[in-house]
Amino acid sequence: MSLSTHRTTLSKFVIEQLKNSPDGQELAALLIDVTAAIKAISAIVAKGALEGNATNAVGADSPKTTNVHGEVQGPLDLLTNEIMLHQCDWGGLVAGMVSEEMEKPYDIPTEYARGRYLLLFDPLDGSSNIDFNVSVGTIFSVLDHGKNSNPTQADYLQPGSRQVAAGYAIYGPATIMVLTVGQGTYGFTLDHEIGNFILTHSNLRVPEETDQFAINASNERFWEPPMQRYVQECNAGKTGPRERDFNMRWIASMVADVHRIMIRGGVFSYPRDNKSNQNGRLRLMYEANPMALLIEQAGGAASTGRGRILDEQPQGLHQRIPVVLGSRREVERIERYHREFDAGTDKPFVSPLFNERSLFRPEARK
Ligand code: AFP
């Protein structure tokens, strides 16, 4: 066991990084509360089948609840949601919270003071993977409400560029928390022996060159032509226009896929499709926005395919958004393919299925 006194804990790090920002110490205190919630979630997730409620299995006879997206909520989705709410509602730091698991924003109980921040989160992302022990995570975003009063729904609908902090925790072989307060992206590993997150990944940088992409390839027939073009070119490898071989990885747990990209580079996409929801699967406010800020702060790029995710004006708390993020050059290439498709200059890549009358054409979508 190494108990070096020189290691930087997450608490020390955020207090230091925010010491010159107005209201920075309140934000640091909120991030420390979020960290406490993440430690509790990590402990519960690590118990696996040893603890009755540490599984997401919904028995055949158990009552099933669904969240606002129509997805079945398992016991762990609900428990981790409660942990996030109750670790963060009491300290006079937040004005309100929004969770993937709740249709409406959470109102701070009347007995507690209101703070100036809005906390938005997905308490257990990738939770459909939990029962076979694949990494899952928590994703969160912090917005500034600017006043210590109850927010309206409209107060939450701020573009991601206005986030004052964002982060994710990945519950894998190690529990790692990746955080930004707008001054770079940093990673902290939970030292279970002392119960502290320790700075282990200083100033993360997404590698620019990459040979990897991450996408649910079973949806290929539902994607727009520019995304099909990108993946077909990667799959063509050395013999195709990219003149090199690519690898594909898909864990189906966004935190795990994004964390790999943070470390190894690559591009992650859940693109626009015509399957069930034109905007893909991921939620803007508590999945795409925080990941986009973390990736940009690490030198990468995050786009809808047609524009910067962080510039999107949210229309709803649980709105979905197409996501393309990771190594900057690859994201820019995919944006270019979208531009060429929209301008009709990508003819060699347009199949008869996606011709001028295609439902995917911008004019047909109006
Ligand atoms: P769950 O939290 O319902 O498991 O969803 C996970 C997720 O939102 C995201 O973490 C993955 O990238 C994506 O869904 C996987 O989606 P597919 O099941 O379509 O591969």
Short mmCIF file of all heavy atoms in Angstrom, two decimals, residues 35 52 57 85 119 156 195 238 257 328:
data_model
loop_
_atom_site.label_atom_id
_atom_site.label_comp_id
_atom_site.label_asym_id
_atom_site.label_seq_id
_atom_site.Cartn_x
_atom_site.Cartn_y
_atom_site.Cartn_z
N THR A 35 -18.75 13.68 -5.68
CA THR A 35 -17.74 12.63 -5.50
C THR A 35 -18.17 11.65 -4.42
O THR A 35 -17.97 10.43 -4.54
CB THR A 35 -16.39 13.28 -5.13
OG1 THR A 35 -16.09 14.25 -6.12
CG2 THR A 35 -15.28 12.26 -5.08
N GLY A 52 -28.53 -7.97 -2.63
CA GLY A 52 -29.79 -8.09 -3.38
C GLY A 52 -30.04 -6.94 -4.32
O GLY A 52 -30.38 -7.14 -5.49
N ALA A 57 -31.21 -6.82 -12.28
CA ALA A 57 -32.13 -7.82 -12.78
C ALA A 57 -33.54 -7.51 -12.29
O ALA A 57 -33.76 -7.25 -11.12
CB ALA A 57 -31.72 -9.20 -12.29
N LEU A 85 -29.29 12.17 -5.64
CA LEU A 85 -30.18 13.24 -5.15
C LEU A 85 -29.84 13.60 -3.71
O LEU A 85 -29.69 14.77 -3.36
CB LEU A 85 -31.64 12.78 -5.23
CG LEU A 85 -32.24 12.55 -6.61
CD1 LEU A 85 -33.66 12.00 -6.50
CD2 LEU A 85 -32.25 13.83 -7.44
N LEU A 119 -27.74 20.72 -11.16
CA LEU A 119 -27.00 19.47 -11.38
C LEU A 119 -27.85 18.54 -12.24
O LEU A 119 -29.03 18.29 -11.91
CB LEU A 119 -26.68 18.83 -10.03
CG LEU A 119 -25.94 17.49 -10.05
CD1 LEU A 119 -24.53 17.67 -10.62
CD2 LEU A 119 -25.84 16.92 -8.63
N TYR A 156 -33.10 25.40 -16.91
CA TYR A 156 -32.16 24.30 -17.19
C TYR A 156 -31.71 24.28 -18.65
O TYR A 156 -30.70 23.67 -18.99
CB TYR A 156 -32.82 22.95 -16.91
CG TYR A 156 -33.01 22.62 -15.45
CD1 TYR A 156 -34.22 22.90 -14.80
CD2 TYR A 156 -32.01 22.01 -14.71
CE1 TYR A 156 -34.41 22.58 -13.46
CE2 TYR A 156 -32.19 21.68 -13.37
CZ TYR A 156 -33.39 21.97 -12.76
OH TYR A 156 -33.57 21.65 -11.44
N GLY A 195 -10.08 5.60 0.64
CA GLY A 195 -11.38 6.21 0.33
C GLY A 195 -11.29 7.54 -0.38
O GLY A 195 -12.22 8.34 -0.34
N LYS A 238 -6.93 -0.82 -45.73
CA LYS A 238 -5.80 -0.44 -46.60
C LYS A 238 -6.18 -0.32 -48.06
O LYS A 238 -5.59 0.45 -48.80
CB LYS A 238 -4.70 -1.52 -46.48
CG LYS A 238 -3.80 -1.34 -45.29
CD LYS A 238 -2.57 -2.22 -45.42
CE LYS A 238 -1.70 -2.07 -44.19
NZ LYS A 238 -1.48 -3.29 -43.46
N ASP A 257 -16.81 3.49 -23.51
CA ASP A 257 -16.38 3.82 -24.87
C ASP A 257 -15.68 5.18 -24.91
O ASP A 257 -14.64 5.33 -25.57
CB ASP A 257 -17.57 3.80 -25.84
CG ASP A 257 -17.96 2.38 -26.25
OD1 ASP A 257 -17.06 1.61 -26.64
OD2 ASP A 257 -19.15 2.03 -26.17
N ARG A 328 -10.09 14.93 -33.01
CA ARG A 328 -10.57 16.10 -33.75
C ARG A 328 -10.64 15.87 -35.26
O ARG A 328 -11.65 16.17 -35.91
CB ARG A 328 -9.64 17.29 -33.42
CG ARG A 328 -9.91 18.56 -34.18
CD ARG A 328 -9.20 19.73 -33.54
NE ARG A 328 -9.73 20.01 -32.21
CZ ARG A 328 -10.87 20.67 -31.99
NH1 ARG A 328 -11.56 21.14 -33.01
NH2 ARG A 328 -11.30 20.87 -30.78
#
